[in-house]
Amino acid sequence: MIEPGTLPRLFAGVTNRPLSLEEHERVFQPADNVASLLEELEASGLVGRGGAGFPTTRKVDLLRQQRGHKYVVVNGMEGEPAAHKDNRLLSTNPHLVLDGAEMLAQMIGASRIAICVARDNPTVVNHVERAIHERARRNLRGPGIDLHTPPWRYVAGEESALVHWLDDNESLPQYRPGRPHILRIGRGPVLVDNAETCASVGLIGRYGAQWFRSLGTAEHPGSVIVSITGAVARPSVLEVNLGTRISNILATADADTSPQAVLLGGYGGAWLRGDQINTPYSNESLEQFKLSVGAGIIAVLPREACGIAEAHRVVRWMAHESARQCGPCAFGLPALAEDLLAVVRGGHDGVAALTRLQDRCGIIEGRGACRHPDGVVRFVRSSIEVFAQDIDSHLRGAPCAGARSKQRFLTVPALEHEEDLIWE
Amino acid sequence: MGVIRRTGMFILQVNPILCDGFGHCAELAPELVHLDEWGYPIISKEPVPMADLGSYESARYAERGCPRQALHVAKVNSPAPVSNVPLNLPRPARAVSRERRPL
Ligand SMILES: Cc1cc2nc3c(=O)[nH]c(=O)nc-3n(C[C@H](O)[C@H](O)[C@H](O)COP(=O)(O)O)c2cc1C
Ligand code: SF4
Ligand code: SF4
């Protein structure tokens, strides 16, 4: 039993190889205080860790009302290039994730569990495969678990794209006019949850809601795994108590503790200015800056970096990762990237590009089938706001030193040729 | 054509995945749709009262005239704000005549 109020929880007992089923059961011995999974889940106040931050009980309730052959899909795609948390979790303790998925399946009455890991990550795929075999050998009763390996794309981790892949072998998001929308594989309703959410459900199912709430804040309870990249000695993955000050998280990770800004919530997220990093890391405290914890990403941008040049690189990559199904996303995002480039280059074109950029943000927002363009718009708007000074000096033709140096801090994968993009 | 219901609201919705940006909808329903710089429709997400017959007919024309069948007139179930919707609306500035429209 893990003592209440202590860390690590999700990473308890980790070694440098994945915990076997026996080790896992030794470390996470169940306490006998969980009578009803559903009530405990509701009392725990768990919100999803995949980005949207939606209460998990509400999703479970919605699925419970559905009929048919139900599925639980574990989203371990890790679409964000700056994130490593799902990979780390699945390669240290895959059984905790599988436990949580089985509990979710039990709650909604699902007969199959599909766990999705990007095929570009063969080590993680192997670890998960082994864990599934281990469970099969011990003949655990319950839903069957399958491993699926879609190709890695940013939008392939979006829930409707993932379900589309499972249903029809195409990692493309689907059109969902009314929300909440029940995604389906064939005719079976699907519950999609992030791998870390499943692991947290696994903990709640063992130790109960009260134990779970011994960490975190009242409205955003529990612990969360954060991936810290950017101006750090070594990109790291930490499990933190929700409500810890961001500056303390940075100090623990050996990162730059007086940064220019930190990017929260990934490349579809937004920036927090360097003088605000004493804010506690939880949704209720970040709300005042219109930010959220999202997928648990903290990318640190040091003072010597040029924020607007970094923003351009990110937006160019995000535009490239569009599934190119919807006009406003396929044409709008590259246009945003071009405008940002004009701003970086400065001069007269830059001034015009800046106003155009703001107009285009308003035009693109909310017009894609998925939330990919909305995330890019949020990122662009926050970059314009937070790096207003940088933009000003670029437009006056005196860019900062950071723009001229070749050093870049945010991890952005290389662009592939459009014809090499694999969607199935 | 049957009885036209004058209560309730509707929204014209576009499926952005199907839409190919030919822009017919902007011609068929100019009061509801305008095009962005790439030729894709921008449609307000605000519900329109059904009593605004001109808009409703245009929306139905656009729905039927879209070559990709990407448009859908969705009825909104929320009770119509009766007070601020005069039922005897003045005729729309642009006359709704069938002759001027394809289909
Ligand atoms: C463009 C886009 C990409 C996404 N990529 C991922 C991803 O790689 N991994 C993930 O867990 N969720 C991703 N999401 C969020 C999922 O759509 C979904 O909200 C999440 O899996 C729900 O799980 P949760 O309720 O446990 O948070 C993405 C969303 C969008 C809009
Ligand atoms: S909004 Fe963009 S990423 Fe999403 S489905 Fe449409 S084209 Fe694809
Ligand atoms: S008519 Fe249909 S396909 Fe053409 S722009 Fe309008 S919605 Fe898109």
Side-chain angles (χ1 to χ4, degrees):
Chain A
M1 163 110 194
I2 305 168
E3 287 305 313
T6 54
L7 282 175
R9 277 180 173 182
L10 299 166
F11 285 148
V14 296
T15 52
N16 52 5
R17 53 184 187 80
L19 295 184
S20 70
L21 191 52
E22 277 155 47
E23 287 165 332
H24 164 74
E25 282 180 348
R26 203 169 334 111
V27 176
F28 294 89
Q29 266 169 10
D32 302 321
N33 58 356
V34 179
S36 152
L37 274 176
L38 275 168
E39 280 166 24
E40 294 289 339
L41 184 64
E42 177 153 14
S44 73
L46 175 69
V47 299
R49 309 289 203 229
F54 194 75
T56 309
T57 27
R58 298 250 298 276
K59 285 168 81 165
V60 169
D61 280 346
L62 203 64
L63 261 287
R64 276 172 64 79
Q65 293 159 11
Q66 303 294 316
R67 298 155 136 254
H69 191 77
K70 297 179 197 170
Y71 296 80
V72 169
V73 172
V74 182
N75 188 345
M77 289 295 293
E78 201 84 286
E80 294 275 352
H84 305 282
K85 67 174 178 113
D86 295 340
N87 284 348
R88 179 67 68 85
L89 191 60
L90 286 171
S91 53
T92 52
N93 196 349
H95 287 294
L96 188 57
V97 178
L98 294 178
D99 277 350
E102 281 180 353
M103 288 174 195
L104 285 171
Q106 193 190 328
M107 281 187 256
I108 67 168
S111 47
R112 290 214 84 80
I113 297 172
I115 168 157
C116 301
V117 183
R119 65 174 76 137
D120 307 48
N121 236 315
T123 359
V124 183
V125 173
N126 277 348
H127 290 328
V128 175
E129 202 162 21
R130 231 190 81 169
I132 293 173
H133 276 303
E134 246 174 336
R135 296 195 155 222
R137 267 219 302 280
R138 308 230 340 202
N139 231 349
L140 286 175
R141 308 262 237 109
I145 306 178
D146 313 302
L147 174 65
H148 293 270
T149 53
W152 182 83
R153 295 253 71 86
Y154 186 80
V155 292
E158 207 272 341
E159 50 191 354
S160 66
L162 199 57
V163 172
H164 196 179
W165 196 85
L166 293 169
D167 190 25
D168 204 16
N169 254 341
E170 269 189 321
S171 306
L172 300 171
Q174 305 169 27
Y175 174 56
R176 290 151 290 167
R179 287 178 193 238
H181 180 93
I182 308 282
L183 294 163
R184 287 172 194 274
I185 298 178
R187 270 196 245 126
V190 184
L191 175 71
V192 184
D193 264 315
N194 176 257
E196 191 192 336
T197 316
C198 290
S200 296
V201 171
L203 290 177
I204 293 167
R206 281 210 165 71
Y207 304 123
Q210 211 183 353
W211 175 90
F212 185 74
R213 279 181 171 276
S214 65
L215 283 183
T217 61
E219 277 165 47
H220 199 182
S223 61
V224 67
I225 307 180
V226 293
S227 326
I228 302 171
T229 55
V232 282
R234 208 153 46 85
S236 45
V237 178
L238 295 174
E239 185 180 357
V240 303
N241 183 359
L242 279 165
T244 316
R245 292 186 188 286
I246 295 174
S247 47
N248 290 353
I249 300 176
L250 295 184
T252 320
D254 257 346
D256 186 346
T257 43
S258 68
Q260 182 180 1
V262 290
L263 177 62
L264 299 182
Y267 291 168
W271 297 95
L272 181 74
R273 280 213 316 274
D275 51 4
Q276 294 163 340
I277 60 165
N278 275 327
T279 317
Y281 190 61
S282 74
N283 279 351
E284 68 216 64
S285 310
L286 291 170
E287 213 179 333
Q288 51 177 318
F289 306 115
K290 296 203 176 59
L291 288 166
S292 70
V293 167
I297 290 160
I298 300 184
V300 188
L301 196 72
R303 295 203 177 274
E304 60 265 30
C306 171
I308 202 69
E310 298 277 356
H312 164 243
R313 286 172 63 231
V314 170
V315 171
R316 189 180 52 167
W317 181 76
M318 290 286 271
H320 195 76
E321 282 294 319
S322 153
R324 297 178 182 78
Q325 296 192 97
C326 319
C329 176
F331 295 98
L333 300 189
L336 291 185
E338 261 169 43
D339 286 345
L340 272 172
L341 184 63
V343 172
V344 172
R345 295 222 170 107
H348 272 306
D349 294 353
V351 181
L354 187 61
T355 40
R356 203 164 56 223
L357 193 62
Q358 277 151 341
D359 293 347
R360 280 177 172 168
C361 279
I363 288 175
I364 293 167
E365 194 175 23
R367 287 180 55 222
C370 74
R371 300 228 175 271
H372 181 60
D374 301 6
V376 178
V377 164
R378 180 165 50 224
F379 178 80
V380 169
R381 282 197 176 138
S382 126
S383 305
I384 295 176
E385 194 183 314
V386 170
F387 304 121
Q389 263 184 343
D390 280 355
I391 293 183
D392 215 44
S393 51
H394 274 266
L395 294 186
R396 277 190 283 107
C400 47
R404 270 175 272 130
S405 89
K406 284 274 169 285
Q407 197 179 10
R408 294 286 179 259
F409 292 90
L410 297 182
T411 16
V412 176
L415 301 186
E416 295 164 55
H417 287 298
E418 202 169 313
E419 51 273 25
D420 293 346
L421 295 181
I422 300 167
W423 295 101
E424 55 185 353
Chain B
M1 202 173 157
V3 181
I4 296 167
R5 282 178 57 219
R6 285 163 189 249
T7 55
M9 315 275 266
F10 73 92
I11 321 180
L12 186 61
Q13 289 176 329
V14 59
N15 177 343
I17 294 181
L18 287 180
C19 171
D20 258 352
F22 292 116
H24 292 303
C25 48
E27 286 178 20
L28 295 175
E31 55 271 73
L32 296 171
V33 180
H34 53 270
L35 300 179
D36 64 11
E37 57 191 294
W38 307 284
Y40 291 88
I42 303 178
I43 306 171
S44 156
K45 290 203 165 68
E46 287 297 308
V48 183
M50 214 65 107
D52 185 355
L53 270 185
S55 299
Y56 182 63
E57 284 216 340
S58 310
R60 292 294 299 275
Y61 272 121
E63 183 184 26
R64 284 172 53 199
C66 169
R68 299 290 313 239
Q69 308 238 314
L71 291 168
H72 176 58
V73 178
K75 303 210 165 68
V76 182
N77 294 327
S78 64
V82 181
S83 53
N84 58 11
V85 182
L87 275 181
N88 49 352
L89 277 178
R91 283 187 68 77
R94 189 178 153 285
V96 183
S97 75
R98 279 168 197 235
E99 291 76 37
R100 284 183 51 202
R101 292 157 190 266
L103 279 193

